[in-house]
Amino acid sequence: MKILLWHVHGSWTNAFVRGGHEYLIPGPPHGIGLSGRDWPAAREVDVSEVDADLAVLQRPVEVGLVPTGVPVVYLEHNTPRFPNQVHPLKDWPGTIVHVTHFNDLMWDCGTARTVVIEHGVVDPGLLYTGELPRAAVVVNDPVRRGRAVGTDLLPRFAEAAPLDVYGMKTHKLGAMGRGDHDLGSLHRELALRRLYLHPVRWTSLGLSLIEAMHLGMPVVALACTEAVRAVPPEAGVVSTDVDELVRAVAELVADPALARQKGKQAREFALARYGLDAFLRSWDRLLTGVSG
């Protein structure tokens, strides 16, 4: 099957293009193309000349760019800004795919058919050593996004352990900012830290959290949005009590054996729920049904 999709979320696309199809990625002026990614099954195309069997859309603007007659599904990555926000494609006759059950619950999609296909991750392997008694955080643009991603909470957690914050524009955080990294480098850096901290109040479930669990890292997370489903008790500590989470960070930093044990459980859970094979099978079932 030839599948047209835009390169919007690189980590998600990195998993999606591992299926057994040909992936057509629009380049300029209507997309960013491969942008240097090594995706053997994907090729950069001019959207005006594309010959696709199906399109996976991720932004409303893409609806008008799909060639006439090509079946489409719409993939919604994001959590709504508030629980009764109307989706841009409310009452659409097609299918809207959500990446988490929380997002499906919160978006008002009206009569549109909705399906949940949870994230899948290309397994980076068990890289965890946890040799550095520090906590790792991954978030893009933390200063601008502020409370939504828990930037205001970082000083409280820093009292329990040194923090290393990775992602775009993290240099604005000062000493704890570690900047943006390519995926391989990021995974190696994370795996050296004792634990993964997820201080996010209100975003869709970040792939970096799932990747950290695949690496074998224990997790301390706010019990918000999909985190309560993604992180089981044996993999770390999930709570809305920030003091409890601060204590959990301190405990894991002080006890490498406990951190390693919880990280092992985190990896096993992540492989079972967010493994690549299950993700691709779910998408194949959906796409086969839509393409007819």
Side-chain angles (χ1 to χ4, degrees):
M1 189 181 299
K2 295 181 179 179
I3 301 174
L4 171 67
L5 76 153
W6 277 257
H7 181 178
V8 177
H9 293 277
S11 293
W12 181 89
T13 308
N14 185 51
F16 186 73
V17 299
R18 307 288 171 153
H21 306 286
E22 183 179 354
Y23 304 91
L24 311 178
I25 314 290
H30 297 115
I32 63 172
L34 299 179
S35 296
R37 296 298 187 106
D38 181 19
W39 293 332
R43 61 184 174 91
E44 194 166 313
V45 298
D46 184 329
V47 72
S48 65
E49 301 174 354
V50 74
D51 176 23
D53 299 306
L54 187 142
V56 177
L57 312 182
Q58 301 168 75
R59 299 168 297 179
V61 67
E62 296 167 6
V63 175
L65 298 176
V66 178
T68 303
V70 176
V72 301
V73 298
Y74 189 91
L75 172 62
E76 179 55 71
H77 289 277
N78 298 320
T79 299
R81 293 190 301 275
F82 44 86
N84 60 340
Q85 183 178 356
V86 173
H87 194 275
L89 296 186
K90 180 181 179 180
D91 299 331
W92 186 50
T95 299
I96 298 173
V97 182
H98 294 287
V99 296
T100 72
H101 291 276
F102 183 88
N103 292 359
D104 187 29
L105 178 68
M106 292 300 173
W107 274 110
D108 177 6
C109 294
T111 60
R113 177 194 180 212
T114 64
V115 174
V116 176
I117 299 181
E118 295 183 290
H119 285 302
V121 168
V122 179
D123 181 18
L126 178 59
L127 302 182
Y128 179 73
T129 65
E131 61 198 72
L132 301 179
R134 307 174 70 88
V137 182
V138 178
V139 61
N140 288 324
D141 207 355
V143 173
R144 179 185 63 82
R145 297 170 73 192
R147 286 177 57 84
V149 295
T151 305
D152 60 304
L153 301 175
L154 296 180
R156 293 178 64 179
F157 287 111
E159 295 175 2
L163 303 184
D164 293 320
V165 186
Y166 298 87
M168 294 184 290
K169 299 184 180 180
T170 52
H171 67 279
K172 295 183 178 181
L173 294 174
M176 70 176 66
R178 292 291 178 264
D180 198 17
H181 289 60
D182 66 81
L183 199 58
S185 172
L186 176 64
H187 289 161
R188 290 189 295 272
E189 288 288 316
L190 295 180
L192 295 172
R193 274 71 191 169
R194 186 69 45 82
L195 68 118
Y196 186 84
L197 174 63
H198 187 69
V200 174
R201 285 186 176 91
W202 191 264
T203 72
S204 192
L205 183 63
L207 278 168
S208 55
L209 168 62
I210 302 171
E211 289 165 353
M213 293 170 68
H214 273 76
L215 292 170
M217 299 184 73
V219 173
V220 173
L222 280 180
C224 299
T225 63
E226 193 78 357
V228 294
R229 177 173 166 82
V231 184
E234 61 270 21
V237 178
V238 180
S239 176
T240 54
D241 182 340
V242 177
D243 288 337
E244 180 182 357
L245 297 180
V246 170
R247 290 193 297 271
V249 169
E251 182 180 15
L252 288 169
V253 166
D255 192 338
L258 176 64
R260 192 174 302 108
Q261 174 191 341
K262 288 187 174 295
K264 180 176 181 292
Q265 295 295 321
R267 175 170 166 79
E268 291 177 0
F269 182 87
L271 286 170
R273 171 158 290 173
Y274 300 109
L276 184 63
D277 289 346
F279 169 77
L280 294 174
R281 284 197 302 270
S282 294
W283 270 103
D284 276 348
R285 284 194 295 269
L286 176 68
L287 298 178
T288 299
V290 171
S291 64

